[in-house]
């Protein structure tokens, strides 16, 4: 007997793909979802993302039970409507984890034939977290 019931899934139609927001702040989460350690080899990794409600009116993207990004404001309205229509079902979208300029990013939707577009200006507003050991911030002697 299973201790949990898996929710039914409803696929969302993402006609125009988009870059998930806050990738620099979400690097630890993305690496955890990738399951490849701290320094994975550069690659494109397919992802099945679940869209869920976050704080306020934000929508979050969950991959392998880890929040890996946020839906940008411009892409949120159709996904919010699809999420409401899905009811208790999980709203899923296709995605790809890939590296851009040394940062792992999440692309939502099909990969464009001509490659990933540049990251939109102002997409990332949260600072990356400080390195910690058991929750204690670790700083180098030079202050960095």
């Amino acid at each position: 007997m299973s201790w949990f019931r898996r929710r039914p899934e409803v696929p969302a139609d993402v006609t125009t793909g988009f870059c998930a927001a806050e990738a620099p702040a979400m690097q630890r989460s993305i690496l955890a979802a990738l399951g490849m350690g701290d320094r994975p080899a550069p690659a494109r990794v397919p992802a099945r993302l679940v869209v869920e409600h976050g704080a306020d009116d934000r929508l979050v993207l969950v991959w392998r039970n880890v929040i890996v990004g946020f839906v940008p404001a411009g892409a949120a309205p159709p996904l919010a409507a699809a999420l409401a229509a899905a009811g208790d079902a999980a709203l899923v979208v296709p995605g790809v984890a890939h590296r851009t300029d040394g940062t792992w990013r999440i692309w939502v939707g099909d990969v464009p034939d001509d490659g990933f577009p540049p990251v939109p200006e102002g997409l990332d507003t949260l600072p990356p977290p400080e390195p910690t050991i058991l929750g204690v911030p670790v700083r180098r002697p030079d202050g960095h």
Side-chain angles (χ1 to χ4, degrees), residues 74-142:
L79 286 176
L83 186 57
D88 290 335
L91 184 68
V92 296
V93 293
V96 176
H98 66 98
R99 288 189 54 102
T100 300
D101 298 327
T103 301
W104 279 97
R105 295 218 163 256
I106 303 295
W107 177 261
V108 180
D110 295 329
V111 176
D113 292 335
D114 53 350
F116 299 103
V119 176
E121 191 71 32
L123 183 66
D124 304 318
T125 59
L126 298 175
E130 292 184 28
T132 62
I133 295 177
L134 298 173
V136 177
V138 178
R139 294 185 182 90
R140 298 186 336 208
D142 61 3

Side-chain angles (χ1 to χ4, degrees), residues 19-45:
C19 189
E22 309 302 354
M26 303 302 292
Q27 287 302 285
R28 289 183 192 156
S29 296
I30 294 170
L31 287 170
L34 282 166
M36 300 170 72
D38 287 337
R39 300 197 185 272
R44 291 182 180 179
V45 181

